[in-house]
Amino acid sequence: MSDTEPRIIVALDYPSEEAAWRLIEQLNADMCRLKIGKEMFTRLGPDFVRRVIGRGFDVFLDLKYHDIPNTVAAACEAAADLGVWMMNVHASGGRRMMESAMERLARHASHPRLIAVTILTSLSQEELTEIGFPGTPEENVLRLAALAHDSGLDGVVCSPREAAPLRQRLGGDFLLVTPGVRPASASLDDQTRVMTPADAISAGSSYLVVGRPITAAPDPLAALQAINAEIADIPI
């Protein structure tokens, strides 16, 4: 990533296309990228993604693919055909699944970035234990991130609290995309492992996924500008 590219990814988590466009029309593609997740993609489909890209925004398609290797590889290729900038898979799908996806994307002219989900930032220690993951959230994140790195992926989604050990272990070129970022004055909402934008970038995060602190703000562009100003002088 370059020093001048946007480091904020605004999450488009809306129940309707009209609400999404109201926000998009207030934002500037030079200041942020946009994340389209499962709800909006399921409601509005690929055409909505194409229209957002047509407005000049880079799109992170957050569908967290997790299936047999060939199915995931084909889905990633379909996402690349839409023109998305970034997409993701679950690292727990395993090495063959991730390698197959990367091999398929390597054939694509635009070669979108492929990152892996490690441990969802909403999961607590108790919930991890309940679903059978031994160890702490941080230990699981490190293990799955190392697997994604070894499988050739461009980076991982992780909590900002795991950014520093991941950066130290996996090097400067591996992308760390972090939700769970909240300005000090914002509500925690449903995230349990959070950090301020400046602290997250300082810890080693490459990109910050920000939702309600921007999307629910009275002036979303001003909220975006404030976060960009907070992180502007922090080196990558």
PDB file of all heavy atoms in Angstrom, residues 50-71:
ATOM      1  N   ARG A  50     -21.416  -3.290  -8.926  1.00  0.00           N
ATOM      2  CA  ARG A  50     -20.927  -2.635 -10.146  1.00  0.00           C
ATOM      3  C   ARG A  50     -21.235  -1.138 -10.137  1.00  0.00           C
ATOM      4  O   ARG A  50     -20.412  -0.315 -10.556  1.00  0.00           O
ATOM      5  CB  ARG A  50     -21.555  -3.282 -11.375  1.00  0.00           C
ATOM      6  CG  ARG A  50     -21.122  -4.724 -11.645  1.00  0.00           C
ATOM      7  CD  ARG A  50     -21.628  -5.204 -12.984  1.00  0.00           C
ATOM      8  NE  ARG A  50     -21.367  -6.620 -13.198  1.00  0.00           N
ATOM      9  CZ  ARG A  50     -22.249  -7.587 -12.987  1.00  0.00           C
ATOM     10  NH1 ARG A  50     -23.477  -7.279 -12.562  1.00  0.00           N
ATOM     11  NH2 ARG A  50     -21.935  -8.848 -13.197  1.00  0.00           N
ATOM     12  N   ARG A  51     -22.427  -0.771  -9.664  1.00  0.00           N
ATOM     13  CA  ARG A  51     -22.801   0.641  -9.650  1.00  0.00           C
ATOM     14  C   ARG A  51     -21.938   1.439  -8.672  1.00  0.00           C
ATOM     15  O   ARG A  51     -21.550   2.581  -8.953  1.00  0.00           O
ATOM     16  CB  ARG A  51     -24.285   0.804  -9.312  1.00  0.00           C
ATOM     17  CG  ARG A  51     -25.206   0.320 -10.414  1.00  0.00           C
ATOM     18  CD  ARG A  51     -26.614   0.847 -10.245  1.00  0.00           C
ATOM     19  NE  ARG A  51     -27.246   0.370  -9.016  1.00  0.00           N
ATOM     20  CZ  ARG A  51     -27.908  -0.765  -8.907  1.00  0.00           C
ATOM     21  NH1 ARG A  51     -28.021  -1.577  -9.959  1.00  0.00           N
ATOM     22  NH2 ARG A  51     -28.469  -1.123  -7.771  1.00  0.00           N
ATOM     23  N   VAL A  52     -21.635   0.838  -7.522  1.00  0.00           N
ATOM     24  CA  VAL A  52     -20.764   1.519  -6.553  1.00  0.00           C
ATOM     25  C   VAL A  52     -19.363   1.709  -7.135  1.00  0.00           C
ATOM     26  O   VAL A  52     -18.774   2.787  -7.026  1.00  0.00           O
ATOM     27  CB  VAL A  52     -20.715   0.729  -5.231  1.00  0.00           C
ATOM     28  CG1 VAL A  52     -19.669   1.328  -4.293  1.00  0.00           C
ATOM     29  CG2 VAL A  52     -22.085   0.708  -4.558  1.00  0.00           C
ATOM     30  N   ILE A  53     -18.856   0.683  -7.774  1.00  0.00           N
ATOM     31  CA  ILE A  53     -17.544   0.795  -8.416  1.00  0.00           C
ATOM     32  C   ILE A  53     -17.595   1.849  -9.517  1.00  0.00           C
ATOM     33  O   ILE A  53     -16.643   2.623  -9.701  1.00  0.00           O
ATOM     34  CB  ILE A  53     -17.105  -0.577  -8.972  1.00  0.00           C
ATOM     35  CG1 ILE A  53     -16.848  -1.562  -7.816  1.00  0.00           C
ATOM     36  CG2 ILE A  53     -15.858  -0.442  -9.843  1.00  0.00           C
ATOM     37  CD1 ILE A  53     -16.627  -2.990  -8.254  1.00  0.00           C
ATOM     38  N   GLY A  54     -18.709   1.909 -10.226  1.00  0.00           N
ATOM     39  CA  GLY A  54     -18.874   2.904 -11.277  1.00  0.00           C
ATOM     40  C   GLY A  54     -18.840   4.332 -10.769  1.00  0.00           C
ATOM     41  O   GLY A  54     -18.550   5.267 -11.540  1.00  0.00           O
ATOM     42  N   ARG A  55     -19.131   4.534  -9.483  1.00  0.00           N
ATOM     43  CA  ARG A  55     -19.036   5.869  -8.871  1.00  0.00           C
ATOM     44  C   ARG A  55     -17.607   6.212  -8.459  1.00  0.00           C
ATOM     45  O   ARG A  55     -17.357   7.273  -7.887  1.00  0.00           O
ATOM     46  CB  ARG A  55     -19.949   5.948  -7.644  1.00  0.00           C
ATOM     47  CG  ARG A  55     -21.421   5.965  -7.963  1.00  0.00           C
ATOM     48  CD  ARG A  55     -21.840   7.289  -8.596  1.00  0.00           C
ATOM     49  NE  ARG A  55     -23.275   7.369  -8.763  1.00  0.00           N
ATOM     50  CZ  ARG A  55     -24.103   7.959  -7.907  1.00  0.00           C
ATOM     51  NH1 ARG A  55     -23.618   8.540  -6.820  1.00  0.00           N
ATOM     52  NH2 ARG A  55     -25.404   7.985  -8.116  1.00  0.00           N
ATOM     53  N   GLY A  56     -16.677   5.306  -8.720  1.00  0.00           N
ATOM     54  CA  GLY A  56     -15.275   5.596  -8.443  1.00  0.00           C
ATOM     55  C   GLY A  56     -14.742   5.026  -7.144  1.00  0.00           C
ATOM     56  O   GLY A  56     -13.576   5.248  -6.795  1.00  0.00           O
ATOM     57  N   PHE A  57     -15.574   4.282  -6.405  1.00  0.00           N
ATOM     58  CA  PHE A  57     -15.144   3.725  -5.120  1.00  0.00           C
ATOM     59  C   PHE A  57     -14.517   2.343  -5.296  1.00  0.00           C
ATOM     60  O   PHE A  57     -15.047   1.504  -6.035  1.00  0.00           O
ATOM     61  CB  PHE A  57     -16.330   3.603  -4.161  1.00  0.00           C
ATOM     62  CG  PHE A  57     -16.801   4.905  -3.595  1.00  0.00           C
ATOM     63  CD1 PHE A  57     -17.800   5.629  -4.229  1.00  0.00           C
ATOM     64  CD2 PHE A  57     -16.246   5.428  -2.437  1.00  0.00           C
ATOM     65  CE1 PHE A  57     -18.253   6.844  -3.710  1.00  0.00           C
ATOM     66  CE2 PHE A  57     -16.679   6.630  -1.909  1.00  0.00           C
ATOM     67  CZ  PHE A  57     -17.689   7.341  -2.553  1.00  0.00           C
ATOM     68  N   ASP A  58     -13.408   2.107  -4.606  1.00  0.00           N
ATOM     69  CA  ASP A  58     -12.892   0.744  -4.466  1.00  0.00           C
ATOM     70  C   ASP A  58     -13.809  -0.011  -3.506  1.00  0.00           C
ATOM     71  O   ASP A  58     -14.204   0.535  -2.467  1.00  0.00           O
ATOM     72  CB  ASP A  58     -11.473   0.755  -3.885  1.00  0.00           C
ATOM     73  CG  ASP A  58     -10.440   1.238  -4.882  1.00  0.00           C
ATOM     74  OD1 ASP A  58     -10.698   1.170  -6.101  1.00  0.00           O
ATOM     75  OD2 ASP A  58      -9.368   1.699  -4.448  1.00  0.00           O
ATOM     76  N   VAL A  59     -14.108  -1.256  -3.835  1.00  0.00           N
ATOM     77  CA  VAL A  59     -15.031  -2.052  -3.028  1.00  0.00           C
ATOM     78  C   VAL A  59     -14.330  -3.261  -2.427  1.00  0.00           C
ATOM     79  O   VAL A  59     -13.661  -4.024  -3.134  1.00  0.00           O
ATOM     80  CB  VAL A  59     -16.235  -2.516  -3.866  1.00  0.00           C
ATOM     81  CG1 VAL A  59     -17.049  -3.576  -3.126  1.00  0.00           C
ATOM     82  CG2 VAL A  59     -17.133  -1.326  -4.203  1.00  0.00           C
ATOM     83  N   PHE A  60     -14.487  -3.395  -1.124  1.00  0.00           N
ATOM     84  CA  PHE A  60     -14.103  -4.598  -0.394  1.00  0.00           C
ATOM     85  C   PHE A  60     -15.367  -5.448  -0.278  1.00  0.00           C
ATOM     86  O   PHE A  60     -16.294  -5.089   0.434  1.00  0.00           O
ATOM     87  CB  PHE A  60     -13.554  -4.210   0.974  1.00  0.00           C
ATOM     88  CG  PHE A  60     -13.357  -5.350   1.953  1.00  0.00           C
ATOM     89  CD1 PHE A  60     -13.184  -6.665   1.544  1.00  0.00           C
ATOM     90  CD2 PHE A  60     -13.333  -5.079   3.322  1.00  0.00           C
ATOM     91  CE1 PHE A  60     -13.011  -7.694   2.459  1.00  0.00           C
ATOM     92  CE2 PHE A  60     -13.157  -6.099   4.245  1.00  0.00           C
ATOM     93  CZ  PHE A  60     -13.002  -7.401   3.813  1.00  0.00           C
ATOM     94  N   LEU A  61     -15.412  -6.563  -0.999  1.00  0.00           N
ATOM     95  CA  LEU A  61     -16.573  -7.454  -0.973  1.00  0.00           C
ATOM     96  C   LEU A  61     -16.394  -8.440   0.176  1.00  0.00           C
ATOM     97  O   LEU A  61     -15.593  -9.373   0.106  1.00  0.00           O
ATOM     98  CB  LEU A  61     -16.724  -8.186  -2.301  1.00  0.00           C
ATOM     99  CG  LEU A  61     -18.011  -8.981  -2.489  1.00  0.00           C
ATOM    100  CD1 LEU A  61     -19.239  -8.084  -2.425  1.00  0.00           C
ATOM    101  CD2 LEU A  61     -17.980  -9.751  -3.800  1.00  0.00           C
ATOM    102  N   ASP A  62     -17.144  -8.210   1.231  1.00  0.00           N
ATOM    103  CA  ASP A  62     -16.966  -8.924   2.504  1.00  0.00           C
ATOM    104  C   ASP A  62     -17.993 -10.055   2.609  1.00  0.00           C
ATOM    105  O   ASP A  62     -18.973  -9.962   3.335  1.00  0.00           O
ATOM    106  CB  ASP A  62     -17.132  -7.915   3.646  1.00  0.00           C
ATOM    107  CG  ASP A  62     -16.998  -8.545   5.018  1.00  0.00           C
ATOM    108  OD1 ASP A  62     -16.343  -9.599   5.128  1.00  0.00           O
ATOM    109  OD2 ASP A  62     -17.554  -7.977   5.980  1.00  0.00           O
ATOM    110  N   LEU A  63     -17.734 -11.153   1.867  1.00  0.00           N
ATOM    111  CA  LEU A  63     -18.654 -12.288   1.871  1.00  0.00           C
ATOM    112  C   LEU A  63     -18.083 -13.500   2.597  1.00  0.00           C
ATOM    113  O   LEU A  63     -18.782 -14.501   2.769  1.00  0.00           O
ATOM    114  CB  LEU A  63     -19.049 -12.659   0.434  1.00  0.00           C
ATOM    115  CG  LEU A  63     -19.761 -11.540  -0.338  1.00  0.00           C
ATOM    116  CD1 LEU A  63     -20.171 -12.042  -1.731  1.00  0.00           C
ATOM    117  CD2 LEU A  63     -20.967 -11.017   0.411  1.00  0.00           C
ATOM    118  N   LYS A  64     -16.828 -13.454   2.982  1.00  0.00           N
ATOM    119  CA  LYS A  64     -16.215 -14.492   3.826  1.00  0.00           C
ATOM    120  C   LYS A  64     -16.466 -15.898   3.287  1.00  0.00           C
ATOM    121  O   LYS A  64     -17.004 -16.770   3.959  1.00  0.00           O
ATOM    122  CB  LYS A  64     -16.735 -14.387   5.272  1.00  0.00           C
ATOM    123  CG  LYS A  64     -16.493 -13.040   5.935  1.00  0.00           C
ATOM    124  CD  LYS A  64     -17.056 -13.016   7.356  1.00  0.00           C
ATOM    125  CE  LYS A  64     -16.842 -11.699   8.051  1.00  0.00           C
ATOM    126  NZ  LYS A  64     -17.680 -10.606   7.481  1.00  0.00           N
ATOM    127  N   TYR A  65     -16.000 -16.142   2.073  1.00  0.00           N
ATOM    128  CA  TYR A  65     -16.210 -17.448   1.444  1.00  0.00           C
ATOM    129  C   TYR A  65     -15.592 -18.565   2.282  1.00  0.00           C
ATOM    130  O   TYR A  65     -14.480 -18.448   2.801  1.00  0.00           O
ATOM    131  CB  TYR A  65     -15.593 -17.465   0.052  1.00  0.00           C
ATOM    132  CG  TYR A  65     -16.186 -16.463  -0.912  1.00  0.00           C
ATOM    133  CD1 TYR A  65     -15.368 -15.549  -1.581  1.00  0.00           C
ATOM    134  CD2 TYR A  65     -17.551 -16.428  -1.176  1.00  0.00           C
ATOM    135  CE1 TYR A  65     -15.890 -14.644  -2.484  1.00  0.00           C
ATOM    136  CE2 TYR A  65     -18.088 -15.516  -2.079  1.00  0.00           C
ATOM    137  CZ  TYR A  65     -17.251 -14.626  -2.722  1.00  0.00           C
ATOM    138  OH  TYR A  65     -17.771 -13.727  -3.609  1.00  0.00           O
ATOM    139  N   HIS A  66     -16.311 -19.670   2.380  1.00  0.00           N
ATOM    140  CA  HIS A  66     -15.851 -20.833   3.137  1.00  0.00           C
ATOM    141  C   HIS A  66     -16.562 -22.057   2.581  1.00  0.00           C
ATOM    142  O   HIS A  66     -17.731 -22.298   2.879  1.00  0.00           O
ATOM    143  CB  HIS A  66     -16.158 -20.657   4.625  1.00  0.00           C
ATOM    144  CG  HIS A  66     -15.532 -21.692   5.515  1.00  0.00           C
ATOM    145  ND1 HIS A  66     -15.545 -21.598   6.881  1.00  0.00           N
ATOM    146  CD2 HIS A  66     -14.865 -22.847   5.231  1.00  0.00           C
ATOM    147  CE1 HIS A  66     -14.924 -22.641   7.409  1.00  0.00           C
ATOM    148  NE2 HIS A  66     -14.514 -23.412   6.417  1.00  0.00           N
ATOM    149  N   ASP A  67     -15.843 -22.832   1.759  1.00  0.00           N
ATOM    150  CA  ASP A  67     -16.456 -24.000   1.103  1.00  0.00           C
ATOM    151  C   ASP A  67     -15.319 -24.864   0.591  1.00  0.00           C
ATOM    152  O   ASP A  67     -14.157 -24.637   0.935  1.00  0.00           O
ATOM    153  CB  ASP A  67     -17.376 -23.516  -0.034  1.00  0.00           C
ATOM    154  CG  ASP A  67     -18.569 -24.448  -0.266  1.00  0.00           C
ATOM    155  OD1 ASP A  67     -18.336 -25.672  -0.388  1.00  0.00           O
ATOM    156  OD2 ASP A  67     -19.705 -23.954  -0.330  1.00  0.00           O
ATOM    157  N   ILE A  68     -15.645 -25.839  -0.252  1.00  0.00           N
ATOM    158  CA  ILE A  68     -14.592 -26.675  -0.815  1.00  0.00           C
ATOM    159  C   ILE A  68     -13.723 -25.817  -1.740  1.00  0.00           C
ATOM    160  O   ILE A  68     -14.170 -24.785  -2.249  1.00  0.00           O
ATOM    161  CB  ILE A  68     -15.173 -27.893  -1.558  1.00  0.00           C
ATOM    162  CG1 ILE A  68     -16.012 -27.442  -2.753  1.00  0.00           C
ATOM    163  CG2 ILE A  68     -15.987 -28.758  -0.599  1.00  0.00           C
ATOM    164  CD1 ILE A  68     -16.483 -28.601  -3.617  1.00  0.00           C
ATOM    165  N   PRO A  69     -12.452 -26.215  -1.964  1.00  0.00           N
ATOM    166  CA  PRO A  69     -11.521 -25.347  -2.679  1.00  0.00           C
ATOM    167  C   PRO A  69     -12.018 -24.861  -4.038  1.00  0.00           C
ATOM    168  O   PRO A  69     -11.912 -23.662  -4.344  1.00  0.00           O
ATOM    169  CB  PRO A  69     -10.267 -26.210  -2.811  1.00  0.00           C
ATOM    170  CG  PRO A  69     -10.297 -27.075  -1.594  1.00  0.00           C
ATOM    171  CD  PRO A  69     -11.751 -27.405  -1.397  1.00  0.00           C
ATOM    172  N   ASN A  70     -12.551 -25.735  -4.875  1.00  0.00           N
ATOM    173  CA  ASN A  70     -12.962 -25.317  -6.208  1.00  0.00           C
ATOM    174  C   ASN A  70     -14.112 -24.321  -6.165  1.00  0.00           C
ATOM    175  O   ASN A  70     -14.158 -23.361  -6.949  1.00  0.00           O
ATOM    176  CB  ASN A  70     -13.352 -26.529  -7.048  1.00  0.00           C
ATOM    177  CG  ASN A  70     -13.576 -26.155  -8.499  1.00  0.00           C
ATOM    178  OD1 ASN A  70     -12.664 -25.685  -9.179  1.00  0.00           O
ATOM    179  ND2 ASN A  70     -14.794 -26.348  -8.980  1.00  0.00           N
ATOM    180  N   THR A  71     -15.053 -24.522  -5.242  1.00  0.00           N
ATOM    181  CA  THR A  71     -16.188 -23.612  -5.125  1.00  0.00           C
ATOM    182  C   THR A  71     -15.736 -22.222  -4.694  1.00  0.00           C
ATOM    183  O   THR A  71     -16.191 -21.205  -5.232  1.00  0.00           O
ATOM    184  CB  THR A  71     -17.212 -24.171  -4.127  1.00  0.00           C
ATOM    185  OG1 THR A  71     -17.719 -25.413  -4.633  1.00  0.00           O
ATOM    186  CG2 THR A  71     -18.359 -23.208  -3.908  1.00  0.00           C
TER     187      THR A  71
END
